[in-house]
């Protein structure tokens, strides 16, 4: 369990202070600043210092954002700097030492905010549902999770912890990928990942989503009894069960991405009824097994392989009773097995946003197309499920046509019913009657200024940006959609799946997923346990770091322990170069040399690599000299890094 | 959208400069909060109100956290840089992405430098500088601010257009013969002649130099003068450019033969008139140097009071008063004389006292009780010396109290300058007459890449001798009329952008201790090298350079001489040896193999080393 010890130790603190400040609570002259402080880290900070920081930074931020007509992003002081997010009346601020690159600290804050919304939903709403103390526990938990990165390099790049794939039988990675693919055969499963001891073995999700999923896993792994956790064991299994589920909130872009992932939904739902409408839909014929080469593109003329069309925008969910068990998990003829962290670089192009459920245009299309058909469980059927669940209780009948109405007035009361509604949404206890058409039901929460206190139930018509873990995605007005996180633990190994909210009420589906993966998980766990994890990489006469920008993974032979002078200068140079790369698009390679060390950095669209050749400082004068050893670094890096699987050619 | 603001701790505006966009933005914001029909407030008041919360928060943070803001940035990429010098808070804002944080920091430091050059030791006292920067009289204030605003704009223009202000080193016109002749002329016909004249009324010419636009043609210092630092020389060039701007567009239209001739005649007669005018006005001149600040087209006979660093055997005296006489020979060609004023010894004494008091204060504030006895004798000592000094002053008609602050005011810019007769400029004009056109063209195309055919693929370079504070670089002309090898228009603009970016990048790495940087950026390959040599050209081994904190002063020579400190730092390990520091920046086409590029760089460094050996002074 060496690996575990390594990840739990929170070493160099990335965050000095963090606070969430609600300016709406401090309006009048007499209002004390403390009334606006929702959370302050470290919590033991004296209240007057908390008030000082919150008051000053919030004041200055407001003043600057008024002058520039734009929210503040970064406040720098002599000894620390604050990444800032401002939204509505909320202000998040996270400070770190001045040495950490701006881009890294801003990413960190966005991650933290997004993590919070992932588990708790929109900020304003969660502060209405839960007590400040309860949420404080969560902020602390998320902060400690995000700070738990292994080394300073991990902080610079904000990377995912992965198992060292060079020390693992590739077949195990394949196996993990296969488990995930098998689970995905259930149409209620969106995507998943396999984690081992807090590290990613295989994932189908984009990196920023994987990070979010890992928090819960880490917490349960540490066995920290947490009374307020919103997770609840699914009905059929006892509390000690290895299976848990939690309500989580996805942004529309995240959801859209997952739904458009290159999984052949057609094949897994082929036995479900297909309406003439759907079969008439012009579609390219697709192989059951998909490879990158047959990636569908929206526009055949568009050579960009990153433009994906969602494979089926009518999510082929069917009343569970009709799902033939065989079809759920029947193995497909062949698998495409991508790399250890599988999803290929995918970005949902803007064009595909037309398929987004929250796109007004689509909304109408669907509405027209499916009225009265068996597709009333489709995205537009927000009313359908509602009637059966919470809203019916409230005695409100929500008609499709009345969405605006709901949005405007009744919607408010739904959420304002506070704990009850919260419990309803977050507990996963809404057990629908058999045949209830809740699949694909979507509850869209949207916060709006002035209406922030009312969670809104609406199909929003805003344009959804292309998927990219853009800074502060959640801090913009992206609506959040509740989904469910299913986790199945086998000792250190966890299978985490993002599933549709009604997955848990579907006994057939849960049992199938559980049983079909159980054996494989046990086998995988046994294999991984016997493989030495976290063994230090080969220490050659060089230091390197290879950052995969798509998968957010880092390969390095730098140990987490504080190293010598050369290691320090490697980290310093890497931090500077990463910062430089991040704001200079055309920059491809750089060599920087101080008296003690020369570092080579190179980057492409998908990766950044840094390399330092160790050895006694060669005497040099700094005058241009082509025989200088610093200039042979590129060829050395190419040569040396081959055996680490880094190809710089 | 740009702005620079100086405010006191009590949020009083001591100076502001904005570009039209920023002004509009402020007015719109203010207009929004205005009642209908109400008259919009004065711009100064609006800017004050809008920035007040930031200014007040700054002092709160210092008082209560012991930390201060250094910069803000917003999602739409507006940048605010803040820096506190004593009790004056400087805030620079950019909202059009043309300037980064480092640029703004540099602007703040340069503004502070210019204020030091203009106001001298007054800047050491917050109370006094507040009064100086914000005169009670509205008209006086408007005039002063206008002058400072122009100065800042001139600096910004030079920093954007002129490579020598990009790297902050003086560029010389490369013409050894002419240079030599001019130096000889400055020495024999000008400095010696004036200094031996009886009419000079106690003034003494220390330095004389000729500028062709921003480039230095010749420089002569009298034998007993201290060296003029690069920082001061660059600041003076900004002032000269502010007085007699070289309007690039105007210059470019000049080379039309007919027009040229007419102009020449005009200027010739004009300058003759000036010559006599100066002689006449010198006799009856006695006035406030602030007048030079007020009138935009200044009378060349009016010297400006400038405060420059003086290093003598006894020590280093920053901000010693000098008079600067600026004489335009022709548009673009200016003769500058720097004189020592009669009461400059007084200034030195005052500085010595100030320094002693500062040391004393520091000791006392550190609460060194053990040294209390020693401190007391020192206070007593100082007191006696000060009494003696004041008694000595009593003979003059200056009103002196025990308070040293009053002595400050003697040395403030408003004290009366004396003047020296200018007799020689007409003869200098005659001497340079034949060269005039050549010089003006030469200043645009000092050296060109055509002279370096042995380096195929080399697009541009800048070579800087940091010990001498001088640079050499091929001209980068981006105006339509003047073409360089890069042609004109977009390509030249593009390369210029790259060069400016490279200089900024190299500074970021240098600040963190990296003396060699190579970058492959798109289709180009950039190199930056910094190295040390001894006097004979022997390359000295590279040493760990200091790693500076992010909020340290900008690297350069104009506002804060980083290289002087670097040389001092490096010399510690090379006692008894003269250490020289050089920099080379190159831009190559990316298709050239790296080993050739590096070979070029090393050959280029060797080649450029030669002409820089020509003695200047």
């Amino acid at each position: 369990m060496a690996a575990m010890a390594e990840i739990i130790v929170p070493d160099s603190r990335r965050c000095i202070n963090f606070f969430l400040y609600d300016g709406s609570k401090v309006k009048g002259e007499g209002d004390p600043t403390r009334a606006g402080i929702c959370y302050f880290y470290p919590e033991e900070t004296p209240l007057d210092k908390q008030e000082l920081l919150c008051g000053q930074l919030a004041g200055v931020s407001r003043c600057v954002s008024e002058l520039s007509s734009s929210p503040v992003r970064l406040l720098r002081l002599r000894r620390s700097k604050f990444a800032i997010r401002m939204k509505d009346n909320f202000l998040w601020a996270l400070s770190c030492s001045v040495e950490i690159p701006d881009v890294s600290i801003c990413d960190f804050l966005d991650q933290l905010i997004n993590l919070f919304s992932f588990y708790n939903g929109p900020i304003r709403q969660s502060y209405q549902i839960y007590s400040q103390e309860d949420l404080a526990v969560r902020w602390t938990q998320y902060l400690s999770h995000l700070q738990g990165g292994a080394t300073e390099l991990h902080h610079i790049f904000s990377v995912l912890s992965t198992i060292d794939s060079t020390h693992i039988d590739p077949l195990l990675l394949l196996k993990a990928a296969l488990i995930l693919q098998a689970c995905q055969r259930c149409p209620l499963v969106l995507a998943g990942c396999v984690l081992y001891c807090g590290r990613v073995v295989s994932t189908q999700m984009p990196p920023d989503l994987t990070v979010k999923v890992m928090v819960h896993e880490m917490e349960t792994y540490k066995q920290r009894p947490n009374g307020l956790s919103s997770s609840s064991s699914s009905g059929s299994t006892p509390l000690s069960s290895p299976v848990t589920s939690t309500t989580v909130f996805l942004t529309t872009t995240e959801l859209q991405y997952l739904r458009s992932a290159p999984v052949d939904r057609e094949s897994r739902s082929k036995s479900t009824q297909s309406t003439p409408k759907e079969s008439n839909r012009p579609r390219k014929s697709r192989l059951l097994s998909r490879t990158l080469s047959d990636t569908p593109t929206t526009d055949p003329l568009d050579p960009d392989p990153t433009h994906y069309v969602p494979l089926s925008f009518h999510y082929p969910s069917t009343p569970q009773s009709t799902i033939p068990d065989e079809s759920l998990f029947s193995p497909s003829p062949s698998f495409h097995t991508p790399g250890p962290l599988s999803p290929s670089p995918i970005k949902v192009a803007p064009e595909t946003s037309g398929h987004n459920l929250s796109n007004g245009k689509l909304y109408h299309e669907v509405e027209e197309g499916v009225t009265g058909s068996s597709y009333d469980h489709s995205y537009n059927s927000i009313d359908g499920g509602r009637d059966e669940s919470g809203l019916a209780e409230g005695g409100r009948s929500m008609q499709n046509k009345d969405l605006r109405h709901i949005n405007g007035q009744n919607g408010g009361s739904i959420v304002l019913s506070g704990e009850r509604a919260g419990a309803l949404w977050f507990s996963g206890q809404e057990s629908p009657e058999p045949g209830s058409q809740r699949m694909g039901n979507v509850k869209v929460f949207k916060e709006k200024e002035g209406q922030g206190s009312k969670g809104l139930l609406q199909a929003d018509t805003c344009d959804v940006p292309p998927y990219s873990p853009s800074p502060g995605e959640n801090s913009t007005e992206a609506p959040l959609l509740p989904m469910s996180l299913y986790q199945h633990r086998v000792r250190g190994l966890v299978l985490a799946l993002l599933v549709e909210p009604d997955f848990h009420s579907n006994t057939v589906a849960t049992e199938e997923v559980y049983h079909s993966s159980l054996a494989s998980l046990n086998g995988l766990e046994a294999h991984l346990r016997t493989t030495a994890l976290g063994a230090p990489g080969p220490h050659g006469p060089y230091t390197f770091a290879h950052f995969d920008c798509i998968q957010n993974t880092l390969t390095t032979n730098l140990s987490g322990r504080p190293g010598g002078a050369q290691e320090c200068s490697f980290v310093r140079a890497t931090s500077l170069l990463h910062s430089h790369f991040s704001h200079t698009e055309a920059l491809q390679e750089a060599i920087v040399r101080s008296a003690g060390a020369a570092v080579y950095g190179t980057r492409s669209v998908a990766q950044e690599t840094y390399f330092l050749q160790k050895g006694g400082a060669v005497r040099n004068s700094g005058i241009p000299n082509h025989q200088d050893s610093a200039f042979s670094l590129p060829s050395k890096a190419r040569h040396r890094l081959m055996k680490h699987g880094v190809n710089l050619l | 959208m740009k702005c620079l603001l100086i405010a006191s701790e009590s949020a009083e505006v001591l100076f502001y400069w904005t570009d039209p966009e920023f002004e509009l933005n402020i007015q719109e914001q203010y207009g929004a909060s205005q009642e209908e029909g109400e008259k919009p407030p004065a711009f100064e008041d609006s800017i004050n109100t809008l920035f007040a919360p930031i200014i007040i928060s700054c002092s709160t943070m210092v008082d209560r956290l012991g930390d201060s803001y250094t910069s803000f940035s917003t999602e739409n990429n507006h940048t605010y840089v803040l820096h506190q010098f004593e009790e004056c808070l400087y805030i620079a804002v950019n909202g059009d992405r043309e300037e980064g944080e480092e640029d703004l920091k540099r602007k703040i430091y340069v503004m502070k430098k210019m204020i030091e050059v203009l106001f001298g030791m007054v800047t050491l006292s917050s109370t006094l500088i507040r009064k100086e920067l914000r005169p009670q009289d509205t008209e006086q204030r408007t005039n002063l601010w206008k002058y400072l605003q122009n100065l800042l704009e001139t600096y910004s223009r030079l920093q954007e257009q002129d490579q020598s202000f990009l790297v902050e080193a003086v560029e010389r016109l490369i013409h050894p013969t002419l240079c030599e002749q001019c130096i000889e002329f400055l020495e024999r016909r000008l400095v010696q002649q004036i200094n031996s004249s009886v009419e000079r009324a106690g003034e003494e010419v220390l330095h004389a130099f000729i500028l062709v636009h921003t480039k230095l043609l010749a420089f002569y210092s009298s034998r007993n003068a201290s060296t003029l630092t690069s920082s001061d020389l660059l600041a003076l060039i900004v002032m000269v450019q502010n007085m007699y701007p070289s309007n690039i567009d105007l210059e470019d239209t000049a080379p039309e033969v007919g027009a040229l001739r007419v102009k020449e005649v005009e200027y010739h007669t004009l300058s003759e008139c000036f010559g006599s005018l100066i002689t006449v006005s010198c006799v009856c001149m006695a006035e406030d140097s602030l007048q030079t600040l007020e009138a935009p087209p200044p009378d060349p006979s009016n010297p400006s009071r400038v405060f420059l660093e003086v290093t003598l055997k006894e020590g280093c005296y920053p901000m010693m008063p000098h008079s600067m006489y600026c004489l335009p020979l022709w548009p673009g060609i200016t003769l500058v004389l720097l004189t020592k004023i009669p009461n400059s010894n007084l200034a030195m004494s005052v500085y010595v006292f100030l320094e002693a008091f500062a040391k004393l204060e520091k000791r006392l504030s550190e609460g060194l009780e053990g040294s209390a006895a020693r401190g007391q004798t020192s206070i007593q000592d100082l007191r006696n010396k000060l009494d003696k000094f004041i008694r000595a002053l009593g003979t003059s008609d200056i009103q002196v109290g025990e308070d040293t602050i009053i002595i400050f005011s003697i040395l403030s810019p408003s004290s009366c300058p004396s003047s020296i007769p200018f007799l020689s400029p007409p003869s200098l004009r005659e001497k340079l007459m034949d060269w005039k056109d050549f010089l003006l063209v030469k200043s645009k195309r000092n050296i060109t890449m055509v002279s370096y055919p042995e380096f195929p693929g080399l697009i541009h370079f800048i070579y800087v001798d940091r010990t001498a504070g001088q640079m050499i670089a091929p001209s980068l002309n981006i105006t339509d009329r003047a073409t360089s090898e890069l042609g004109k228009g977009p390509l030249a603009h593009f390369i210029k952008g790259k060069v400016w970016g490279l200089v900024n990048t190299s500074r970021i790495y240098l600040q963190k201790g990296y003396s060699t940087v190579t970058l492959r950026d798109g289709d180009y390959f950039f190199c930056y090298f910094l190295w040390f040599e001894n006097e004979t050209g022997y390359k000295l081994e590279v040493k760990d350079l200091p790693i500076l904190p992010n909020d340290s002063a900008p690297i350069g020579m104009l506002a804060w001489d980083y290289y002087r400190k670097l040389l001092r730092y490096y010399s510690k390990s090379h006692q008894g040896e003269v250490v020289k520091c050089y920099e080379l920046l190159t831009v190559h086409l990316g298709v050239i193999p790296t080993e050739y590029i590096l070979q070029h760089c090393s050959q280029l460094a060797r080649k450029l080393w030669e002409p820089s050996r020509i003695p200047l002074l």
Side-chain angles (χ1 to χ4, degrees), chain B residues 73-181:
Chain B
S73 47
T74 64
E75 284 177 18
N76 60 357
N77 283 311
H78 286 205
T79 311
Y80 294 64
V81 172
L82 303 94
H83 198 96
Q84 185 122 21
F85 292 106
E86 302 297 328
E87 281 159 40
C88 293
L89 175 70
Y90 288 61
I91 304 176
V93 187
N94 181 281
D96 52 22
R97 304 187 190 199
E98 282 171 14
E99 299 160 303
E101 219 178 296
E102 286 299 308
D103 298 315
L104 294 178
K105 197 159 78 182
R106 188 173 302 276
K107 208 187 219 174
I108 285 176
Y109 272 83
V110 168
M111 194 64 216
K112 193 210 166 214
K113 166 78 189 178
M114 298 315 296
I115 288 175
E116 276 173 2
V117 169
L118 292 172
F119 294 94
M121 278 190 278
V122 165
T123 52
L124 298 174
S125 153
S126 322
T127 333
L128 287 178
I129 190 63
R130 243 184 2 239
K131 276 187 201 147
E132 290 287 347
L133 281 176
R134 198 188 159 84
Q136 283 299 307
D137 178 54
T138 321
E139 199 193 329
Q140 216 183 341
R141 182 160 75 224
T142 315
N143 286 337
L144 173 66
W145 286 6
K146 186 89 203 118
Y147 177 75
L148 291 175
Q149 284 161 355
N150 286 338
L151 205 57
L152 189 62
E153 275 168 10
T154 302
Y155 164 71
S156 299
R157 175 174 62 80
L158 292 176
Q159 203 272 335
E160 268 164 40
Q161 295 176 350
D162 204 303
Q163 293 183 83
S164 78
F165 279 88
L166 169 67
V167 296
E168 298 187 356
V170 178
E171 184 171 0
R172 290 173 54 199
L173 273 189
I174 309 278
H175 198 289
T177 336
L178 189 57
C179 171
E180 224 176 283
Q181 286 178 21

Side-chain angles (χ1 to χ4, degrees), chain A residues 48-49 52-53 56-57 59-60 63-82 84-86 98-99 102 569-570 572-574 576-577 580-581 583-597 599 618-626 628 630-631, chain B residues 1 22 25-26 29 50-51 53-54 56-57 60-61 64-76 78 80 83-84 101 498 505 508-509 512-523 525 529-533 538-545 547 550-551 584 595 598-599 601-602 605:
Chain A
D48 61 335
K49 195 190 166 190
L52 173 70
L53 269 179
Q56 294 301 318
L57 297 193
V60 161
C63 180
V64 171
S65 59
E66 275 168 15
L67 269 168
S68 286
S69 330
S70 166
V72 173
R73 192 72 189 99
L74 200 70
L75 293 180
R76 243 179 267 167
L77 281 82
R78 208 167 287 278
R79 290 199 298 270
S80 61
K81 59 179 156 197
F82 285 83
I84 304 280
R85 272 288 171 201
M86 299 168 80
V98 287
E99 301 307 322
D102 294 352
S569 50
F570 176 74
R572 206 175 54 236
T574 301
L576 259 181
L577 287 168
H580 193 184
F581 280 136
H583 60 73
T584 315
E585 219 162 89
L587 185 63
Q588 297 144 27
E589 303 189 294
I591 297 171
V592 295
R593 202 229 346 241
S594 59
V599 175
V618 186
R619 198 198 116 86
N620 72 69
S621 65
I623 194 164
N625 177 2
H626 63 283
D628 203 319
F631 303 119
Chain B
M1 207 180 95
F22 194 90
N25 179 43
I26 294 280
Q29 295 212 5
L50 286 169
F51 276 96
I54 301 178
I56 289 163
S57 180
T60 312
M61 292 298 268
R64 298 197 45 201
L65 271 186
D67 206 347
S68 51
Y69 300 117
T70 57
S71 73
F72 310 138
S73 47
T74 64
E75 284 177 18
N76 60 357
H78 286 205
Y80 294 64
H83 198 96
Q84 185 122 21
E101 219 178 296
K498 288 285 177 194
T505 306
I508 292 170
Y509 286 105
K512 294 297 169 195
Y514 299 97
S515 58
T516 303
V517 180
T518 66
L519 307 167
R520 183 176 295 282
D521 185 339
D523 295 332
F525 195 90
F529 300 93
L530 177 139
W531 70 96
F532 297 94
E533 289 178 8
Y538 178 77
K539 313 290 177 289
L540 300 172
E541 194 172 337
V542 72
K543 233 180 81 170
D544 272 319
L545 303 182
I547 297 171
N550 292 341
D551 63 319
L584 177 68
E595 60 260 44
L598 295 164
Q599 255 171 37
C601 291
S602 94

Side-chain angles (χ1 to χ4, degrees), chain B residues 360-577:
Chain B
L360 191 68
E361 194 185 351
K362 195 173 165 232
R363 263 213 318 261
L364 289 173
S365 69
E366 278 167 2
L368 296 177
E369 315 215 339
S371 62
R374 203 155 30 109
Q376 254 169 5
T377 55
S378 181
I379 292 176
Q380 200 50 53
D381 218 27
L382 215 66
R383 169 100 212 179
N384 292 342
K385 276 187 190 163
L386 189 64
D387 283 345
K388 214 182 276 174
F389 174 64
I390 290 170
R391 265 197 303 279
L393 280 181
T395 55
S396 70
D397 56 352
I398 306 162
Q399 190 200 354
V400 179
E402 288 203 7
D403 198 340
T404 41
I405 285 174
I406 293 173
I407 302 176
F408 268 127
S409 53
I410 305 168
L411 302 161
S412 76
S414 42
S415 62
C416 298
S418 42
S419 55
I420 54 163
F422 268 112
L423 297 168
S424 34
S427 53
L428 180 59
R429 231 175 252 123
E430 270 160 36
K431 179 148 191 73
L432 285 176
M433 193 61 214
D434 297 340
W435 292 96
K436 189 198 95 186
D437 293 333
F438 169 78
L439 285 173
L440 289 172
V441 172
K442 178 75 178 165
S443 79
K444 295 280 167 196
R445 301 186 51 133
N446 194 16
I447 59 170
T448 54
M449 280 308 298
V450 183
S451 340
Y452 299 87
E454 66 269 48
F455 304 113
L458 175 66
I459 297 171
H460 192 70
F461 68 85
I462 303 178
Y463 176 80
V464 195
D465 174 351
R466 287 296 177 185
T467 319
Q470 292 168 11
M471 56 86 75
I472 302 171
S475 308
L476 267 182
N477 291 324
I478 48 153
T479 50
D480 290 343
R481 298 299 294 249
T483 48
S484 62
E485 287 70 37
L486 293 170
K488 49 190 177 183
L491 183 62
H493 267 286
F494 181 76
I495 297 296
K496 178 182 172 274
K498 288 285 177 194
V499 171
W500 260 245
L502 173 62
V503 171
N504 286 330
T505 306
S506 67
R507 283 171 175 156
I508 292 170
Y509 286 105
L510 186 58
Q511 191 184 36
K512 294 297 169 195
Y514 299 97
S515 58
T516 303
V517 180
T518 66
L519 307 167
R520 183 176 295 282
D521 185 339
D523 295 332
Y524 301 92
F525 195 90
F526 302 121
C527 299
Y528 169 77
F529 300 93
L530 177 139
W531 70 96
F532 297 94
E533 289 178 8
N534 69 10
E535 210 167 13
T536 57
Y538 178 77
K539 313 290 177 289
L540 300 172
E541 194 172 337
V542 72
K543 233 180 81 170
D544 272 319
L545 303 182
I547 297 171
L548 303 178
N550 292 341
D551 63 319
S552 58
I555 285 181
M557 300 189 103
L558 170 53
W560 182 80
D561 199 339
Y562 166 83
Y563 294 95
R564 193 153 72 154
K565 292 188 172 60
L566 187 65
L567 277 162
R568 212 173 288 156
Y569 168 85
Y570 194 89
S571 302
K572 275 187 204 147
S573 55
H574 287 83
Q575 299 283 341
E577 208 172 0

